[in-house]
């Protein structure tokens, strides 16, 4: 909802209850709301709760905070006990709490919480129905790759014994090159021993050439042209043809590996002009492959802000998509995942002046500080100021082939291509001494991405943070969690000081609390 829409019209909360086949609507007073088609939607009074809704974000966390609002209804129009006796299950009912302003149509309302009724309490006719409305819980039933993308008698009847029963590798980006040296970026599967076809990805790829080597030491990498073929279930896959002699010849039972830093990479991006390598596109693709409810518009908008982060990896063991995102992708990105009525979507956070969306000026009369300043150890997690990121995991050995160190001791540790210090880590080491930690990533091969990840980790964990709340006019409700603001408050000696919004709460009187 825009600033102008927030300023227009009186605000009303409208609760829509769906109990089996019945739809009931309540507000604090009787309302008649027009729909886009001109029909009028009657809303009954009886909503008794003083409703305030808070939207929060936890930086560096993979947990998704869900919303809930406790409320009650008193009405003579419905006999809740009689409905239950007739077979209506209040505990199975769903609801939507939305914000509607006079002058708007019903379709222009702003949903706040969409979910299930939890622990409903009711009495006789005319007595209170009380409950908590909670967001739908997250439940991802998907597996990636899917169950049909594997080598069996149907897909490849002439496959090498070593490939039978294995899932097709799903390849993102260009895994396989670190510090100018080639390593095993992903496995290959001999799916046709007669024609010496080596399946390198269970989908179309952007690469026209890749490098292949057998699992022998030392490895000899040879360039090979990529062809696309169709398996016995009609799935298009990427293959190369092994040689009849030399280091990359076909040997029954042998393991083969691919280095993708040749001409192109793995799975195509959405425009089919290059390999899907942007972290935002990978996140968007995986969320869309899941069974989770996803706000596709907000996710697509956020994905464009993550183009500086490159993902290079493969997946060849079926895994729950949310499980993979939670363990592999989200920990290396400056995002938090929110759940809203439209579904899941990422919130991008950037601790820089370029992300400033608003100025909170407590020296003016319309922005008022609430309470004292609170301090915490860091923005997220334990204090650390000497951070090593291990990346470029070798698909053959499982070892990390590259590392990036961010430290706070420039007088003792020389900076170089994979070693650096930052202002935050230098200040932190000076105050607290060296506090080291290691981060391992299986989805990064790109050194620039490794550097970006480790600098964001330092912002989160090298220095303490201050937290303060302000009461703002209702037009500030357009702001969102994760956005940057500049705070001016002469009482606290703050002058255009940068901060990140961690929580926004719409209060019952129309004002907004911003943390």
């Amino acid at each position: 909802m825009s600033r102008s829409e927030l300023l227009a019209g009186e605000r009303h909360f409208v609760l829509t209850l769906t109990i089996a086949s019945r739809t009931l609507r309540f507000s604090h007073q009787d309302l008649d709301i027009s729909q886009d088609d001109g029909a009028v939607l009657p809303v009954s009074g009886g909503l008794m709760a003083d409703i305030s809704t808070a939207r929060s974000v936890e930086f560096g966390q993979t947990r998704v905070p869900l919303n809930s609002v406790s409320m009650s209804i008193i009405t003579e129009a419905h006999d809740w006990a009689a409905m239950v006796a007739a077979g209506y299950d209040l505990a199975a009912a769903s609801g939507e709490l939305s914000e509607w302003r006079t002058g708007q149509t019903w379709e222009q309302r702003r949903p706040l919480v969409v979910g299930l009724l939890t622990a409903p309490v009711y009495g006789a006719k005319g007595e209170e129905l009380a409950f908590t409305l909670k967001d739908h819980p997250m439940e991802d039933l998907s597996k990636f790759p899917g169950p049909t993308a594997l080598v069996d008698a149907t897909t490849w009847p002439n496959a090498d014994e070593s490939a039978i029963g294995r899932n097709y590798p799903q390849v993102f980006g260009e895994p396989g090159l670190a510090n100018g040296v080639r390593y095993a970026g992903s496995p290959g599967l001999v799916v046709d021993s007669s024609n010496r076809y080596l399946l390198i990805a269970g989908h179309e790829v952007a690469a026209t050439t890749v490098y292949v080597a057998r699992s022998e030491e030392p490895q000899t990498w040879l360039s090979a042209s990529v062809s696309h073929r169709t398996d016995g279930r009609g799935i298009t896959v990427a293959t190369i043809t092994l040689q009849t002699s030399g280091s990359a010849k076909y040997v029954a039972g042998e393991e083969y590996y691919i280095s993708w830093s040749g001409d192109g990479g793995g799975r195509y991006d959405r425009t089919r002009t290059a390999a899907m390598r942007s972290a935002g596109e990978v996140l968007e693709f995986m969320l869309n492959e899941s069974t989770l409810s996803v706000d596709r518009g907000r996710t697509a908008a956020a994905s464009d802000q993550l183009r500086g982060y490159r993902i290079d990896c493969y997946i060849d063991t079926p895994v729950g998509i949310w499980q993979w995102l939670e363990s592999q992708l989200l920990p290396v990105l400056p995002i938090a995942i929110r759940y809203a009525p439209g579904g899941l979507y990422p919130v991008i956070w950037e601790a820089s002046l370029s992300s400033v969306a608003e100025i909170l000026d407590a020296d003016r009369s319309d922005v008022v500080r609430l309470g004292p300043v609170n301090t915490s150890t860091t923005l997220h997690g334990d204090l650390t100021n000497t951070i090593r990121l291990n990346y470029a995991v070798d698909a053959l050995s499982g070892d990390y082939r590259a590392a990036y160190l961010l430290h706070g001791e420039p007088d003792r540790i020389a900076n170089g291509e994979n070693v650096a210090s930052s202002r935050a880590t230098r200040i932190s080491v000076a105050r607290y001494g060296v506090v080291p930690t290691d981060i391992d990533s299986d989805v990064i091969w790109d050194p620039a991405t490794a550097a970006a990840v480790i600098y964001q980790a330092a912002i989160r964990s090298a220095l303490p943070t201050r937290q303060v709340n302000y009461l703002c006019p209702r037009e500030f409700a357009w702001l969102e969690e994760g956005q940057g603001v500049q705070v001016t408050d002469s009482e606290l000696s703050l002058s255009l000081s940068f901060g990140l919004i961690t929580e926004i709460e719409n209060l019952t009187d129309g004002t907004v609390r911003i943390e």
Side-chain angles (χ1 to χ4, degrees):
M1 189 173 290
S2 67
R3 183 192 294 268
S4 60
E5 289 175 318
L6 288 164
L7 288 170
E10 182 182 357
R11 181 177 68 165
H12 298 274
F13 291 107
V14 180
L15 172 68
T16 302
L17 291 182
T18 302
I19 307 173
S21 59
R22 303 184 65 176
T23 299
L24 312 174
R25 292 183 175 87
F26 299 92
S27 186
H28 291 93
Q29 64 188 67
D30 292 341
L31 299 171
D32 289 321
I33 301 177
S34 297
Q35 297 176 272
D36 284 345
D37 61 5
V40 176
L41 198 67
V43 178
S44 302
L47 184 62
M48 303 304 296
D50 289 333
I51 295 171
S52 62
T53 58
R55 311 188 308 273
S56 62
V57 65
E58 297 182 8
F59 302 115
Q61 288 275 20
T62 56
R63 186 180 69 87
V64 180
L66 300 179
N67 297 321
S68 65
V69 180
S70 297
M71 61 188 75
S72 60
I73 300 167
I74 297 179
T75 177
E76 291 286 346
H78 303 285
D79 188 335
W80 307 113
M83 291 174 63
V84 172
Y88 291 89
D89 186 358
L90 296 178
S94 61
E96 176 196 279
L97 178 67
S98 57
E99 177 185 322
W100 172 80
R101 293 183 180 273
T102 55
Q104 295 180 332
T105 64
W106 175 245
E107 288 77 10
Q108 291 175 308
R109 72 193 185 282
R110 180 189 185 191
L112 300 175
V113 181
V114 177
L116 304 174
L117 270 63
T118 301
V121 176
Y122 64 93
K125 185 176 181 179
E127 294 184 23
E128 178 184 61
L129 168 66
F131 56 88
T132 297
L133 180 64
K134 288 187 176 182
D135 281 331
H136 287 295
M138 290 177 48
E139 186 176 12
D140 180 24
L141 303 178
S142 61
K143 292 287 185 181
F144 186 83
T148 60
L150 81 165
V151 181
D152 59 20
T154 299
T155 54
W156 301 100
N158 198 28
D160 188 270
E161 188 71 24
S162 64
I164 295 175
R166 294 178 61 177
N167 293 91
Y168 298 168
Q170 309 290 312
V171 181
F172 297 99
E174 303 177 4
L177 186 69
N179 299 320
V181 179
R182 294 201 176 277
Y183 298 101
S186 65
L189 306 176
V190 179
V191 293
D192 189 325
S193 55
S194 298
N195 292 300
R196 308 184 310 283
Y197 294 156
L198 186 75
L199 186 149
I200 62 173
H203 47 80
E204 289 186 87
V205 300
T208 56
T209 61
V210 295
Y211 287 82
V212 59
R214 288 162 53 192
S215 56
E216 58 183 2
E217 295 289 349
Q219 289 180 305
T220 301
W221 295 95
L222 297 178
S223 176
S225 298
V226 176
S227 300
H228 288 99
R229 306 183 190 278
T230 303
D231 73 0
R233 291 193 177 93
I235 299 175
T236 300
V237 300
T239 67
I240 63 172
T241 301
L242 296 173
Q243 299 176 350
T244 57
S245 62
S247 61
K249 69 180 181 180
Y250 168 60
V251 177
E254 185 64 273
E255 298 283 338
Y256 295 85
Y257 292 89
I258 302 299
S259 175
W260 286 84
S261 297
D263 185 7
R267 183 182 295 275
Y268 272 113
D269 63 11
R270 67 167 75 99
T271 64
R272 291 184 61 83
T273 57
M276 183 184 296
R277 205 177 178 194
S278 159
E281 278 203 72
V282 175
L283 174 63
E284 184 180 3
F285 171 82
M286 294 297 278
L287 284 174
N288 290 340
E289 288 288 307
S290 75
T291 59
L292 296 167
S293 173
V294 178
D295 188 325
R296 301 184 188 278
R298 288 191 177 194
T299 299
S303 73
D304 289 337
Q305 301 178 53
L306 295 171
R307 292 196 172 276
Y309 292 80
R310 294 181 173 183
I311 299 302
D312 304 298
C313 66
Y314 74 96
I315 305 172
D316 70 343
T317 300
V319 63
I321 289 178
W322 178 252
Q323 177 187 350
W324 184 83
L325 291 174
E326 192 175 35
S327 63
Q328 299 294 334
L329 195 59
L330 299 185
V332 301
L333 299 179
I335 66 174
I337 300 293
R338 281 206 65 242
Y339 187 90
L344 291 171
Y345 67 93
V347 175
I348 312 297
W349 64 275
E350 182 183 1
S352 70
L353 292 178
S354 63
S355 68
V356 170
E358 185 61 89
I359 294 175
L360 306 184
D361 190 347
D363 292 349
R364 301 184 323 210
S365 58
D366 57 347
V367 176
V368 179
R369 177 166 54 89
L370 298 174
V373 177
N374 296 314
T375 59
S376 59
T377 303
T378 64
L379 184 62
H380 164 66
D382 297 327
L383 176 74
T384 182
N385 50 37
T386 303
I387 311 168
R388 181 186 301 275
L389 175 66
N390 303 306
Y391 66 102
V393 64
D394 190 318
L396 172 59
S397 67
D399 297 330
Y400 294 101
R401 300 299 189 177
Y404 194 102
L405 176 65
L406 186 66
H407 64 91
E409 301 180 279
D411 295 334
R412 192 177 71 85
I413 302 175
N415 291 339
E417 185 177 358
N418 296 305
V419 181
S421 64
S422 70
R423 181 173 182 271
T425 54
R426 290 194 296 271
I427 294 173
S428 182
V429 168
R431 290 181 183 176
Y432 311 109
V434 175
V435 184
T437 191
D438 273 45
I439 302 172
D440 297 335
S441 176
D442 294 351
V443 299
I444 296 173
W445 282 79
D446 175 52
T449 299
V453 168
I454 209 166
Y455 272 87
Q456 291 291 349
I459 290 172
R460 292 196 305 268
S461 303
L463 292 170
T465 59
R466 293 168 290 173
Q467 189 178 77
V468 62
N469 287 267
Y470 287 95
L471 186 68
C472 304
R474 70 184 187 186
E475 60 264 31
F476 282 77
W478 75 274
L479 292 168
E480 294 190 347
E481 320 87 275
Q483 287 182 317
V485 293
Q486 286 182 299
V487 180
T488 292
D489 188 338
S490 57
E491 290 184 347
L492 299 180
S493 299
L494 299 175
S495 178
L496 294 178
S497 298
F498 178 82
L500 288 169
I501 297 175
T502 55
E503 186 169 275
I504 301 175
E505 182 178 13
N506 297 305
L507 302 176
T508 55
D509 63 358
T511 58
V512 182
R513 178 184 63 83
I514 295 179
E515 179 186 271

